[in-house]
Amino acid sequence: QTTLTIGTVNNSDMIRMQGLTPEFEKQHPDIKVNWVTLEENILRQRVTTDIATGGGQFDIMTIGTYEVPIWAKQGWLKPLDGLGDNYDMDDLIPAIRSALSSDGKLYAAPFYAESVLTLYRKDLFEKAGLTMPDKPTWDFIAEAAEKVTDKDAGVYGICLRGKPGWGENMAFLGNMAREFGANYFDADWKPQFESEGWKKAVSLYVDLMTKYGPPGAASNGFNENLQLFGQGKCGMWMDASVAASFVTDPKQSQVPDKVGFAAAPCGTENCPNDGFNWLWAWSLAIPDSSKKADAAQTFISWATSKEYLDLVASKEGWANVPPGTRTSLYKNSKYTEAAPFADATLNAIQHANPEPTADKPYYGLQFAAIPEFQGLGTAVGQQMAAALSGSTSVDQALKQSQAIATREMTRGGYIKN
Amino acid sequence: MATLHTKNAARAMMAPAVIVLLIWMIVPLAMTLYFSTLNYTLYNPFSTPFVGFENYSYFLTDPTFLAALANTLILVIGVLAITVIGGVLIALLLDQEFYGVNIVRLMVIAPFFVMPTVAALVWKNMMMNPVYGVIGQMLSAIGLTPIDWMTEVPLLSIVIIVAWQWLPFATLILLTALQSLSSDQKEAAEMDGAGALSIFWYITLPHMSRAITVVILIQTIFLLSIYAEILVTTQGGPGAQSTNITYLVAQQATSYGDIGAASAGGIVAVILANIVAIFLVRLIGKNLDA
Amino acid sequence: MARKVTTGRKIGTTIFAWFVGLVIFFPILWTFLTSFKTELQAISIPPVFVGFDWTLENYRTIQTQSNYFHFMANSIYLSLGSTALGLIFAIPAAWAMAFSPTRRTKDVLLWMLSTKMLPAVGVLIPIYLLFVRFGLLDSRLGLIVVLFLINLPILVWMLYTYFKEIPGEILEAARMDGASLSKEITQVLAPMAVPGIASTVLLNVILSWNEAFWTLNLTTSNAAPLTAFIASFSSPQGNFYAKLSAASMLAIAPILIVGWFSQKQLVRGLTFGAVK
Amino acid sequence: MGQIHLEKVRKAFGDVVIIPDLDLKIEDGEFVVFVGPSGCGKSTLLRLIAGLEDVTDGQIVIDGQDATELPPAKRGLAMVFQSYALYPHMSVRKNIAFPLKMAGMDKAEIDKRVDYAAKTLNLDAYIDRRPANLSGGQRQRVAIGRAIVREPKAFLFDEPLSNLDAALRVGMRLEISELHQRLKTTMIYVTHDQVEAMTMADKIVVLRAGNIEQVGSPLELYSHPRNTFVAGFIGSPKMNLLGGAEAEKYQAETIGIRPEHVRLSTTEGSWKGTVKVSEHLGSDTFLHVESPVHDEPLTVRADGEFPVHAGDVVYLTPEEDKIHRFDGEGLAMKTNSRAVA
Amino acid sequence: MGQIHLEKVRKAFGDVVIIPDLDLKIEDGEFVVFVGPSGCGKSTLLRLIAGLEDVTDGQIVIDGQDATELPPAKRGLAMVFQSYALYPHMSVRKNIAFPLKMAGMDKAEIDKRVDYAAKTLNLDAYIDRRPANLSGGQRQRVAIGRAIVREPKAFLFDEPLSNLDAALRVGMRLEISELHQRLKTTMIYVTHDQVEAMTMADKIVVLRAGNIEQVGSPLELYSHPRNTFVAGFIGSPKMNLLGGAEAEKYQAETIGIRPEHVRLSTTEGSWKGTVKVSEHLGSDTFLHVESPVHDEPLTVRADGEFPVHAGDVVYLTPEEDKIHRFDGEGLAMKTNSRAVA
Ligand SMILES: Nc1ncnc2c1ncn2[C@@H]1O[C@H](COP(=O)(O)OP(=O)(O)OP(=O)(O)O)[C@@H](O)[C@H]1O
Ligand SMILES: Nc1ncnc2c1ncn2[C@@H]1O[C@H](COP(=O)(O)OP(=O)(O)OP(=O)(O)O)[C@@H](O)[C@H]1O
Ligand SMILES: [Mg+2]
Ligand SMILES: [Mg+2]
């Protein structure tokens, strides 16, 4: 008998998967699954240390689109070439598949994926006489935020991430900056934080949040915003598309049927990817050090298969299946009926293209898939939070960010001098 | 107590503890020293060229280094101030006669048993959250704007959380010290015409000085390495407003994966800690004849 | 002791002291209450104190999601194991320092304490590499050794200050009576120092129980204690206050109860010779 | 001034009555010593006078003014504790100055008084030391110094010498006596040391279980103990108390004879006995003699060296006129009548 | 057996020499008392004999066998500590049994011996109590019990009675003396109590700063002190030591006269003086008399009550044949020659 140790984040889809393991073990009596569920930051720290030192503690790791290309390049991951004949790799949404592949080989299987959406309160918009366009612009968002805000009633026009971190506020701000036409780095890896796009984006962000945002926005992450929105305190919220399933769940939200979904807003005329500058997929990968690669592939194949989606649907309902990985799911009418956000999500994911381009030397959208990004992004995120909390000005924060980033990129050897 | 035989025995008995601690100190320290001279990142652990003091200059020129140094001191001193002053006051309170003294005592010491991570999580989410936190709601209820603790006063928030955890420790030690004050001395002072305040100031407080020193010594050791509380609450931000040296070092390792810089930072932290230690030893030298 | 405390004053003190006690205890009390709410009640505004539907749902969810007792058992193993190991090393050392002091005793003691000032993160990678090399990752033994080492200085100091209170003459008497060194320690010193040893044990157990850096970084699942348990409930996606509260209560309850029951011991030992 | 009157003073701790109704008048300038067995309430009584304990009932009048409800500081008394209760963190100077500082006296005046007190008590050389660096006798003097600077109405001493070694005790005893002669301030002194009580007191108060057994000058108590308790308590070695036939000879229930009032001979005398233990001090010889007249050994003292040893036979002759007679209740009987025999 | 010879024993702590070259022979069965001022090295000497400290130089020979290097347990000596050093966590029975258990004696034999010791010391009733529940005297007895069960070659006592109160001290003193008479084991006893030294010792060793000043029987020391130090140290109250003109009369540098060897009169005598302090114990009267013959007050003892008080004039007449003469180095001079005057 083989025991697989799986390190995973404590997100609800993973926890659900953990709950369904007995089904897997029933099908594969020779495999036992041992879950290590940890909070995201701690998990990342654990698996990074482990894989870099060859600790061999995990057979399967839950990692994201950020780590996969970097680790694959180091040869730390086993290519997933034994997922089985029924796996139907072509069914994976191409953007996701490409994000998880290196040299044409898949290194991690997507468990669920997300892009960015604009969630808004239909009832409040109606009251304010507003209609959300399919592709809103930031001008419209600003206007709407102002109109919807009613601080006496505890309603804030807009809720956005403010908590510092490369996967927290920077995920959003990186995305927003791109909507204004800016990247993290130029083609020569020079950081771009003092460019026009960043300035516009961050100024607008700080401006909106100070005027129409909830108190304590600088420490709001996904969860805090989810709570706020769920309690009907937010008029709009731009965030990861998974949010959609939470806010429409009556057990978690007080406004399940009042939520509308739209594309992420755009800041410039022809914004890249139609504004969808966010792509993330929590994926399962096998470290090269694992001695149980076969069993691990068996498990991954099960957990990311179509059958798994059916299994979740049969136990928990279609609205709760992990979204964003398979095209077939979005063709399934049972799903699209149960999940009002299905179209918006698919649309967002399909439009997000993480490939490098002429002016963007890195892989990834709301992040740059280079090892330095994690630290750099977090440090910059701290500056943004400082700007948001008012302890520094936007210009100052961007200048600092530029300095920090330049320092790191120089140390990393990207910038030659 | 001092024949050659017992002296030799004593040496032999001390050896195991000293040796294991020496190993525990030296082996990682040597490795750290070695790593601190390499360009060693977690993302490329196979090529680790020797770079001399580059990591040190990189760490020491980190724009947040000085801020972190200052924050470390503020954190240590702030927590010490709160716990010592609060500890003295609560000890005085618990030394009084009142109904339910034992229950109040249990309530006061409870935070000491709470894991730092749990303490930080509870305070961050359930106490200090500006919208859902109890403090925020109470402020709203009386018509004030809730404070956004983690962004407006991040360092203070951490000081409060850490002080909450250590207050029982200080209280317990100071209470014992208080209760060990011979009633003779208090009575003598009373006969000498001292009022309650004078007794406290001239008799009780000096009597507790040794206990206060011990509280300071022990707490400083733990406070210098505060990490979990920051990680869970502010993650050092906003900016570097709540980054201490330990957190800065940790960031090098965990978020940049830069083991070279983290090692250099670790060595710097050790040096700083030793400076503090020397200072402490001076401070307690006369008060703590070991 | 001398003169009467008036009832009025006593009542005043009572009210004030209870207020202070409740303020300090409030976060724990609130966590306790929240752990019995539903997620929505947990974040309801204004907050509800007792007028909610008490539910055990959170505890049930937690138990199905992760095996609490496995983590708790590890916490017990680790804290007791490291403490036992610590005593084996610390008692002789403290004996030597207390009863055969030299000019350097104090320096050695302070040096020992200063080893605690090393920032753990600075040496994480070296230790991790060593653990990989010796195959100690995720083993209870490895963690017991680490916890033992980080707490040893405190252990030695506590025992030292405690032993110093014991008159050396008694040990000399034992020596005159023909006791060997090991008998002197096991049959005379240790039984006399039982209260001190007990409080040392208690403090060490608490510190080991709550240690969250090494226990998180060096374990995966077999040896993972409650600190890792908490890490799986601290900020998942979605509303989590109630579940977090329940998990928090589960993580701290054992040590809190032990601590409350043995607080007298703890207080006595905690004084680190601060009180003469 | 320092007149202290206790009127029907009663003290109970909870239900336990320690001092049942006690009356005592202490006149100005008197040196009063409280003696009594351990636990009889000496310290309690002193603390009641000091105001460190509340009386359960009764009045304490100091200099004609009711002080029962006054806090200690307001009574104008100074106390020297058995433990000295010096402030360990203050220098000798600061210790002595403390009561004056508390009284808000100005710096110059304080210094003057402290210097004077230090000189009087030979403490000048140690004035800047901490108590921990002083010998027992020096500490004692600091405690007294702290008491005298205040010029109190009366001094209260609770076994102040019991922590000192024998030699020092003799010296300090003389110092306190001299101090009293010089200051003429009322002093109340608790001790369980015979010699201290006898040599220092103007008036000894013998207490038993919170009751006063006898009050009088030392020699009064020595010569005319009111009852067997006082007889046995005052004098060292203890008075020999005999009952039975020997007592009947004197028409008493019990007779008492002090060791120094028995004549010793190796050849003849009233009572024949065997030496059980002999203690030869050079200056005196104490014999513990077993004799048929009493079931416990009789203690006898001879001046100088009396060369007998354990097992030797000796004859004892009590000095007739030094025999004390007690009745059935242990009370002294009027005249010392001769033996009828 | 219990013969202990110290040969050229030297002890230094670091650079400080506490005992410089000391020779002493203690014969089997002797009761030897060490006396001397505080800090003179009495305890150190005892601990050297016990083996609790290493000698710096010299030899300790016990029963003819060199024990210098032997650990305490192997020397066959038992020690009773000043603090008694009982094992607080063991019952009286276990305390007494401990040395036997350490010696690996079998259970039945241990019980037999412990019971016997307990009976001897009247401890049967407390045999299962812990030391904390015993009175001072009982604890003392347990400590002795623990020493006697081992049937040691010699007992070492370090001020065993100094923690007891006066009354108990007398009783325990007698008990130890009796024990010695019964066991006839060598005993070495440290004290600073005059009375204990005089009454218990077969042989007193007077120490000063680690040197032996005189060794002899109590009465030898009392009557023939070898020098002024011993003269002043043995006897209580202290011998009066006079220099100057009075001494010259006796062709000596210093003369000494004990308080009990001075006759007192209110009318006539050799020396006229004024009473500075008078202490009336009933049984004795001690006078401290200021006289032109000496700059410090002379101490004089009168038997019984001698009714003079501070300020009265008295006349003192030393008993000629009791005068001690000392030369310039403080050493006693051979014969007591008469005054020439
Ligand atoms: N605070 C108290 N509560 C209860 N009982 C007390 C208290 N203080 C003293 N006692 C009791 O009162 C009695 C008298 O005590 P006190 O200290 O006055 O005796 P003492 O004559 O000074 O004895 P000693 O000679 O031992 O000092 C004792 O039986 C003691 O136990
Ligand atoms: N371990 C030690 N280190 C240094 N000096 C010491 C040590 N033990 C004793 N001394 C010194 O040796 C001298 C003799 O000490 P010891 O205890 O033998 O005196 P003592 O005659 O027993 O005095 P006391 O009558 O006060 O008990 C003292 O001056 C003391 O300070
Ligand atoms: Mg008393
Ligand atoms: Mg001694």
Side-chain angles (χ1 to χ4, degrees), chain D residues 165 169 173-174 178 195 198-199 219 222 236 260 276-277 279-284 288 301 303 305, chain E residues 169 173-174 178 192 195 198-199 219 222 260 276-277 279-284 288 301 303 305:
Chain D
D165 72 25
R169 212 137 57 193
R173 192 171 87 202
L174 291 175
E178 279 174 38
V195 180
M198 294 298 285
T199 57
L219 289 176
Y222 178 82
S236 165
E260 56 269 30
K276 192 162 168 250
V277 180
E279 300 181 314
H280 303 267
L281 295 173
S283 54
D284 300 281
H288 301 267
R301 174 177 129 177
D303 288 333
E305 173 59 9
Chain E
R169 210 137 58 191
R173 193 171 84 200
L174 293 176
E178 280 175 36
H192 55 234
V195 181
M198 294 298 285
T199 57
L219 290 176
Y222 177 81
E260 57 269 32
K276 191 162 169 251
V277 180
E279 300 181 314
H280 303 267
L281 295 173
S283 54
D284 300 280
H288 302 267
R301 174 178 131 179
D303 289 332
E305 172 59 8

Side-chain angles (χ1 to χ4, degrees), chain C residues 16-275:
Chain C
F16 183 64
W18 274 85
F19 174 74
V20 170
L22 279 170
V23 166
I24 293 176
F25 187 60
F26 186 79
I28 298 172
L29 180 65
W30 187 245
T31 307
F32 176 76
L33 292 176
T34 306
S35 72
F36 295 102
K37 297 176 182 174
T38 63
E39 291 294 355
L40 279 180
Q41 280 165 343
I43 56 170
S44 75
I45 299 174
V48 281
F49 272 84
V50 276
F52 55 87
D53 308 320
W54 292 66
T55 170
L56 283 173
E57 186 57 34
N58 299 307
Y59 290 94
R60 229 171 277 136
T61 313
I62 282 168
Q63 183 52 28
T64 51
Q65 197 179 317
S66 63
N67 187 358
Y68 168 70
F69 295 101
H70 170 73
F71 292 102
M72 185 170 102
N74 275 332
S75 275
I76 293 172
Y77 271 119
L78 295 182
S79 46
L80 292 185
S82 67
T83 305
L85 193 58
L87 286 182
I88 292 171
F89 280 76
I91 289 180
W95 172 87
M97 289 178 171
F99 298 113
S100 187
T102 64
R103 249 169 290 126
R104 268 170 296 135
T105 298
K106 193 171 157 187
D107 298 336
V108 171
L109 207 56
L110 286 167
W111 164 73
M112 284 188 168
L113 282 175
S114 77
T115 62
K116 279 198 70 69
M117 295 191 190
L118 291 184
V121 277
V123 295
L124 169 62
I125 298 299
I127 298 294
Y128 204 91
L129 286 170
L130 289 174
F131 266 57
V132 173
R133 168 76 47 83
F134 295 110
L136 288 172
L137 281 176
D138 199 24
S139 71
R140 285 179 191 150
L141 177 66
L143 261 190
I144 283 175
V145 170
V146 168
L147 292 176
F148 146 69
L149 285 167
I150 60 176
N151 288 329
L152 184 60
I154 295 278
L155 223 61
V156 172
W157 194 17
M158 278 188 76
L159 288 175
Y160 163 72
T161 53
Y162 210 89
F163 287 176
K164 259 199 339 178
E165 312 272 292
I166 290 173
E169 283 194 348
I170 294 191
L171 300 188
E172 291 185 342
R175 229 168 282 162
M176 293 287 298
D177 284 346
S180 63
L181 191 55
S182 66
K183 292 234 168 75
E184 176 184 322
I185 290 182
T186 55
Q187 304 207 9
V188 178
L189 178 62
M192 278 176 70
V194 159
I197 292 175
S199 50
T200 309
V201 164
L202 191 63
L203 182 71
N204 199 58
V205 166
I206 294 169
L207 290 176
S208 307
W209 189 279
N210 290 342
E211 203 291 322
F213 183 79
W214 294 113
T215 49
L216 267 179
N217 278 296
L218 299 178
T219 63
T220 313
S221 69
N222 290 332
L226 286 169
T227 45
F229 166 80
I230 266 296
S232 60
F233 291 98
S234 60
S235 78
Q237 269 179 332
N239 295 329
F240 63 97
Y241 281 16
K243 277 194 284 292
L244 171 65
S245 297
S248 297
M249 285 320 293
L250 287 173
I252 65 173
I255 202 75
L256 183 63
I257 290 166
V258 169
W260 270 350
F261 272 105
S262 46
Q263 55 136 339
K264 289 254 161 61
Q265 286 300 334
L266 183 67
V267 172
R268 197 181 339 190
L270 261 188
T271 53
F272 290 104
V275 181

Side-chain angles (χ1 to χ4, degrees), chain D residues 167-183:
Chain D
L168 205 49
R169 212 137 57 193
V170 174
M172 290 308 301
R173 192 171 87 202
L174 291 175
E175 282 186 31
I176 295 177
S177 291
E178 279 174 38
L179 191 74
H180 180 241
Q181 272 168 35
R182 195 139 33 85
L183 300 179

Side-chain angles (χ1 to χ4, degrees), chain B residues 72-84:
Chain B
T72 308
L73 291 180
I74 294 173
L75 185 57
V76 172
I77 293 169
V79 174
L80 285 178
I82 295 178
T83 50
V84 169

